[in-house]
Amino acid sequence: MRHVSPKCKINKMFGTVVVGVGIAGLARIRDLMNPMPSSPSEHLKLFGFVSRRSFGNINEVKQINLEDALRSKEIHAAFISTENRSHEETIRMFLEAGKHVLVEYPMALSAKAAHELCEMAEQKGKVLHVEHIELLTEEYKQLKKEVAGKDLVKGTLHFTGSVLDENKAGFPAFSGIARLTWLIDLFGDLTVTSATREKQKDKNYSRMTVHFQTANKKPLTWIEERGPGMRREKKINFCFTSGCLENFPQAPRSAVGLFMQDQNLFAKKLLGQVSKEELAAEKWRILRCLDLAEEIQQHCEQPEKICS
């Protein structure tokens, strides 16, 4: 096997394609076209985008078909920004074609598929990076500092938002995995003690309530609530032995956008600039959250034993 010197890797350029041009896909195109100066993103070169709809060009970026993107020797990495339901299939295609992959969360809508995709990426020696920009917000970074070193007594994270099409976005434990990621990242591994879901089809309303225990047997609750006109909002109530935290700490605005931060992290992985320890911890967190999401879905879909 030919040895590649670190200098060669630093000078390497990675051709990229964006798959899917919704809100996230357009943000990806913008950031790939305007990389931060002297950042790892300068090693990414956008060759085009793939979409089922016909656009021609977007901001001078040309539309290419999926088969050409998969075959092209100039394209080394795909940014997958399609609807959640098609993530798994699209990741598989690009890994099979020998490309690195960045995908918006969730990686897949089943834990089994996620584990298989990670294994496939490892076998092929490719980077499979899952976007989790909720961990990159200044709001979250401040919250993590505030929580660090404190002993949890109990806590609740309550999210509200507008209606999602579950056929495209998946079950709420998967579409809302950003909230689960927060809880795992803040409080360590969790065990599901119960999970239920209330649905009012006529009102297009859904409320999922999940009860967890931390490794220290402390209770945590996650509520994911969606309905027409509901404001996108997160509420916290974390109680520690030293007192309760009911509001998010004040946080400054970041000078660097969230997608750009995520893109830089992906580029660092391509350049071999992320430690094995960091990669292993991230992989554990992503797969653990997907395992829990599936367990939550199974709890919620069990037939009711008692009809009230």
Side-chain angles (χ1 to χ4, degrees):
M1 190 173 165
R2 190 167 64 85
H3 176 70
V4 179
S5 75
K7 193 175 178 190
C8 288
K9 207 160 190 184
I10 285 165
N11 293 330
K12 186 168 171 59
M13 291 299 291
F14 296 88
T16 63
V17 63
V18 172
V19 185
V21 288
I23 293 168
L26 291 171
R28 295 298 187 183
I29 289 172
R30 176 200 67 210
D31 287 352
L32 283 162
M33 293 288 285
N34 304 285
M36 273 174 65
S38 306
S39 77
S41 287
E42 288 198 313
H43 294 268
L44 304 174
K45 183 182 178 186
L46 181 60
F47 274 92
F49 69 90
V50 172
S51 176
R52 287 173 310 197
R53 293 172 290 165
S54 185
F55 286 97
N57 286 7
I58 295 176
N59 300 338
E60 296 171 26
V61 181
K62 64 179 182 182
Q63 182 162 3
I64 54 181
N65 69 47
L66 180 61
E67 290 69 29
D68 289 347
L70 291 165
R71 274 199 306 264
S72 172
K73 292 203 162 44
E74 290 182 306
I75 292 172
H76 308 103
F79 281 56
I80 298 171
S81 301
T82 57
E83 58 203 25
N84 296 353
R85 181 72 54 196
S86 63
H87 285 181
E88 179 191 339
E89 183 191 359
T90 315
I91 293 168
R92 252 180 232 284
M93 284 192 288
F94 278 96
L95 287 177
E96 283 286 3
K99 315 290 187 193
H100 301 286
V101 171
L102 175 152
V103 63
E104 316 297 348
Y105 74 74
M107 185 196 326
L109 295 179
S110 85
K112 181 173 179 280
H115 283 268
E116 282 172 7
L117 292 170
C118 283
E119 209 169 292
M120 188 176 174
E122 279 172 18
Q123 284 169 356
K124 293 192 169 284
K126 297 297 163 190
V127 171
L128 171 53
H129 171 79
V130 185
E131 163 269 313
H132 275 285
I133 56 172
E134 73 279 8
L135 298 178
L136 304 176
T137 65
E138 293 304 312
E139 173 186 64
Y140 179 72
K141 289 173 188 171
Q142 289 297 119
L143 177 63
K144 193 168 180 179
K145 280 183 197 166
E146 195 78 30
V147 166
K150 291 182 177 167
D151 292 325
L152 183 75
V153 176
K154 62 178 182 177
T156 301
L157 172 58
H158 185 169
F159 174 86
T160 57
S162 57
V163 182
L164 284 182
D165 179 348
E166 274 185 43
N167 292 323
K168 294 177 180 176
F171 189 80
F174 285 94
S175 60
I177 207 159
R179 266 67 70 191
L180 186 48
T181 303
W182 266 26
L183 292 176
I184 285 272
D185 195 56
L186 288 172
F187 302 111
D189 198 9
L190 301 173
T191 307
V192 179
T193 54
S194 71
T196 54
R197 188 186 184 196
E198 178 197 344
K199 260 183 112 173
Q200 295 174 18
K201 278 190 177 167
D202 55 329
K203 293 180 181 167
N204 225 349
Y205 171 83
S206 160
R207 180 186 171 109
M208 180 184 76
T209 306
V210 187
H211 296 288
F212 300 102
Q213 262 191 359
T214 66
N216 294 333
K217 303 275 188 277
K218 300 302 179 193
L220 271 175
T221 303
W222 167 28
I223 299 165
E224 189 85 359
E225 190 175 14
R226 288 186 177 274
M230 276 196 164
R231 251 182 75 197
R232 187 180 173 85
E233 197 174 17
K234 287 185 288 285
K235 290 178 184 162
I236 54 168
N237 189 333
F238 297 139
C239 289
F240 305 95
T241 49
S242 56
C244 291
L245 186 61
E246 294 179 355
N247 297 301
F248 286 98
Q250 285 295 307
R253 269 186 74 86
S254 173
V256 182
L258 297 175
F259 285 112
M260 184 66 85
Q261 290 181 51
D262 184 59
Q263 180 178 296
N264 281 335
L265 178 55
F266 179 54
K268 277 178 80 173
K269 289 179 182 178
L270 296 180
L271 294 163
Q273 295 173 0
V274 180
S275 73
K276 283 182 180 175
E277 292 75 20
E278 284 174 90
L279 292 172
E282 185 187 73
K283 180 187 170 186
W284 176 85
R285 189 201 73 231
I286 289 166
L287 291 175
R288 182 64 184 136
C289 287
L290 288 161
D291 286 342
L292 287 171
E294 189 159 284
E295 195 182 333
I296 290 163
Q297 182 172 356
Q298 286 165 356
H299 272 277
C300 291
E301 289 179 347
Q302 279 175 357
E304 287 287 335
K305 294 192 179 89
I306 302 162
C307 296
S308 52

